[in-house]
Structures are given as structure tokens and as C-alpha cells.
Amino acid sequence: MKCVGTLLLLGRCVSRRSLHHDHRHHQAQQSAGIIGAPFSRGQPRAGVERGPDLIRSAGLVHRLNQQGCAVKDYGNLTFEEVAGDESLGLMRSVRAVGSANRRLSEAVQKVKRDGHTSVLLGGDHSLAIGSIHGHSALVGNLSVVWVDAHADINTPLTTPTGNIHGQPMSYLLHELQSKIPILPNFSWIKPCVSARDVVYIGLRDVDPGEHCILKLLGVKLFCMTEVDRLGVARVMEETCDYLSAKQKKPIHLSFDIDAIDPSVTPATGTPVVGGLTYREGVYVTEQLCQTGLLSAVDMVEVNPLRAQTERDVQSTVGTAVDLLLGCFGRLREGNHPSDYSLPEP
Ligand SMILES: [Mn+2]
């Protein structure tokens, strides 16, 4: 709902703003449960399995602690080789993707059971299957905010590439269940998200089958055209209004680093020009944090082997860290602990 028109609406906006303020304090006390998933079989480019350790070595845990956020690092998951994982038509590594995500789903369930906001460090975006499945298994119905250059909603039958990192949403949506063929190691996946509970931000490279699905299901989306037209502030206002219009559900943020413009985050497998700026990306995380509903975050597709220079890697990883800090209450105006006492001379 927009902040224009009647006094009634104005009153709503004021009260929502004061809610936001309360949530800042609440959110700063949320704890992060970090899971590393060094997994790359959802796409063909090596290197994305290095994401979790790179993001950690850029100081993620220390910096979260510094801003008053408790952290438990659950370490990296291990994924064994899956024997006899032959291609099924175009589809590659189906069994490996299925079993890795099953393991991830169980790990996310454990993190949620322990009371943390789950943080998945990928790995490629096929991991959203296990991350969202596990999150939903513990908290029930949830909203998904998918920030990505791509919609990742191809079915195994519409995919032009066979890469499962371009398909995770199709396995998760109730509405697409009848379009998904039986796949080995995928039978444990139960659709757990409704199309009306999904918001896309940053789209600019959408395949024909994906576009058909998005229109057919009426999925809420802010492609780069909408970001240009409305500005990121209104995009986030409309996103938060849309998600809280019905019942307020826990939010799952699935952030593909390729949503950000490749001039800032070039170290990724499928860069697309014309993306979100660093500031727009950080703004998205700040606003989602302030809803007080952020319950799980994925940060995926950081691939150092796709960079030209060490500086490219640092810019990409540093941006991933800053986006995660934004999810946990970092404000660009500055932060201070509630028990901070000014020194007296
Ligand atoms: Mn993606």
C-alpha cells in the first residue's frame, strides 16, 4: 500500500514506521546459524564450491559479532560422489543435486530448531531447493524474496541448458507440481511455497518457458525495468506491503550475487549486465531486516574462478558479506549497542 491519499493511509504508514524502529532492536539480537554448502553440481563451472570459505575468510562471523549478532557456524556440509549419475536428457548431475539438497534441508531444519536465522553460504543456486524446503519444514508457510538476474523457475522440461541451478523454484511451487517429471533422488522434495508468496527482484535474463510460467501464475516481480521506473525504495515498500498484506509469514531471502551488476560482483558464473547497484542491493537487505520477519538467507553463486583479477574476487566477496550484514541489522547511519555508555572525562 502506498503512502498517499487519505489520512487513514498516512496513519498506517506512520505506525508501520514505528514498528520498523522496534524491529531494529529486536533484529540486532537475532542470531545467525551459518551453513556452508560447497556444492557446484547444479551448473557446469568449477569454483562456486569455494564460496562458503571465501565469504567466511572475508570476516563474516567477526563482523556479525561486532554488530551485536550472535553467530553459530555449523561448518561446511560434505557431499559424497554419487555413483552412476548419468545425464537424463539435458539434465546433468540430477542424483547429486537431489542428495546434496536432502542433506542441506536437514541441516537447515537443525539450524531453525536451534532458534537461529539460517544463513546458507553457497555453492550454486540449486541449493535453494534444500534451503527453502528445510526452512519450510520447520516454520510452515513462508514468503520467498528471490533476488537474482534470473528467475530460476525452469522445469526439467523447459530448461534450455539442463542446469538445475536454473530450476529450483519449479520444484518448490505447489502450482508447478504437475509439470515436474519423476527424477532420481528428488522424491523427498515436497512443494512448499505458493506462487502468491514469492517476490522476484532484479530479473533481466528470463527464458521463454520461465516467462510463460511467471505470467501464468501471476508471480509478483520487480524486474530491472521496475527498479528503474519505481526506484528501489518503492520496490521495497511494495514488496513489504505485498508480503504483509495477508498473514505475516517468515521470509526466506534467496540472494544470487549475480543480481548485482557485474561491474561490482563479476566473480559469478552467469553475469548479466544492467544489474542492481551495490547500494540498491544493500537497501534490499536493510529493508527486509527491518520487517523483523527475515528467518533464512541464502547467499549463492560467488565463484572466484570466474574473476579476471584478485580485485574482482574481493569486490564480489566483500559485497556478499555486506549484503549479509545488512540482513542482520547493519545500518549505514551507524550502529551502537543498547548498553553503550559515553565515557565521562
Ligand atoms: Mn540464481
Side-chain angles (χ1 to χ4, degrees):
M1 193 172 294
K2 288 164 222 133
C3 294
V4 290
T6 66
L7 279 174
L8 186 70
L9 287 180
L10 193 64
R12 219 183 97 93
C13 283
V14 170
S15 68
R16 190 153 53 81
R17 201 158 286 144
S18 58
L19 261 181
H20 282 175
H21 189 73
D22 292 336
H23 281 133
R24 280 183 194 181
H25 299 288
H26 173 70
Q27 195 66 29
Q29 283 151 18
Q30 290 227 330
S31 60
I34 298 177
I35 302 168
F39 182 79
S40 61
R41 305 292 289 277
Q43 49 83 62
R45 289 159 290 267
V48 73
E49 70 283 351
R50 300 189 193 184
D53 288 341
L54 266 173
I55 294 171
R56 283 195 190 88
S57 63
L60 175 64
V61 173
H62 176 66
R63 293 185 65 194
L64 282 170
N65 283 331
Q66 267 187 329
Q67 67 185 48
C69 177
V71 179
K72 177 165 180 186
D73 191 343
Y74 289 74
N76 285 346
L77 299 175
T78 54
F79 307 106
E80 71 272 3
E81 279 301 307
V82 177
D85 199 3
E86 294 93 11
S87 294
L88 298 164
L90 265 183
M91 298 271 287
R92 272 167 286 113
S93 305
V94 174
R95 297 163 191 83
V97 171
S99 68
N101 275 286
R102 185 171 202 169
R103 182 160 293 184
L104 173 59
S105 171
E106 278 155 16
V108 171
Q109 291 177 55
K110 163 100 175 97
V111 169
K112 291 310 298 174
R113 225 176 273 124
D114 291 349
H116 306 292
T117 297
S118 163
V119 177
L120 161 69
L121 305 179
D124 73 64
H125 217 166
S126 69
L127 294 164
I129 299 170
S131 181
I132 292 176
H133 178 276
H135 185 198
S136 169
L138 247 278
V139 309
N141 289 336
L142 43 80
S143 305
V144 174
V145 179
W146 195 279
V147 185
D148 199 324
H150 313 88
D152 296 355
I153 198 169
N154 273 298
T155 74
L157 304 175
T158 68
T159 173
T161 64
N163 299 328
I164 302 179
H165 78 153
Q167 309 168 26
M169 278 300 300
S170 76
Y171 303 103
L172 295 164
L173 287 182
H174 295 295
E175 289 85 348
L176 289 176
Q177 196 170 14
S178 68
K179 311 293 182 198
I180 305 296
I182 292 171
L183 296 172
N185 291 4
F186 271 57
S187 61
W188 61 275
I189 303 167
K190 299 286 174 270
C192 52
V193 179
S194 298
R196 64 173 181 278
D197 295 327
V198 177
V199 177
Y200 280 101
I201 299 171
L203 299 182
R204 57 195 183 276
D205 185 8
V206 176
D207 298 324
E210 294 185 298
H211 189 251
C212 177
I213 290 168
L214 293 172
K215 293 297 137 182
L216 205 64
L217 301 185
V219 179
K220 185 77 171 169
L221 56 88
F222 299 96
C223 68
M224 287 311 297
T225 305
E226 272 77 53
V227 176
D228 287 340
R229 179 189 298 128
L230 303 173
V232 71
R234 240 189 92 192
V235 166
M236 290 316 295
E237 191 183 329
E238 290 191 16
T239 295
C240 294
D241 283 348
Y242 179 81
L243 294 180
S244 62
K246 299 151 272 176
Q247 163 211 8
K248 288 187 168 56
K249 303 183 188 75
I251 295 175
H252 188 113
L253 169 61
S254 205
F255 206 120
D256 189 322
I257 200 66
D258 73 25
I260 307 291
D261 193 81
S263 60
V264 180
T265 57
T268 189
T270 51
V272 188
V273 294
L276 298 173
T277 64
Y278 171 92
R279 283 157 54 182
E280 288 167 338
V282 169
Y283 189 83
V284 168
T285 64
E286 287 171 342
Q287 293 303 303
L288 290 176
C289 174
Q290 289 196 14
T291 65
L293 296 169
L294 201 50
S295 173
V297 183
D298 309 325
M299 183 54 64
V300 298
E301 298 284 355
V302 170
N303 185 341
L305 297 188
R306 305 302 293 175
Q308 306 284 330
T309 66
E310 187 52 33
R311 200 158 159 265
D312 286 355
V313 177
Q314 281 167 14
S315 175
T316 307
V317 176
T319 301
V321 169
D322 289 352
L323 293 166
L324 288 167
L325 297 180
C327 290
F328 287 91
R330 178 172 183 246
L331 298 174
R332 284 174 285 179
E333 70 172 38
N335 299 72
H336 70 271
S338 52
D339 59 353
Y340 188 95
S341 69
L342 270 186
E344 305 285 344

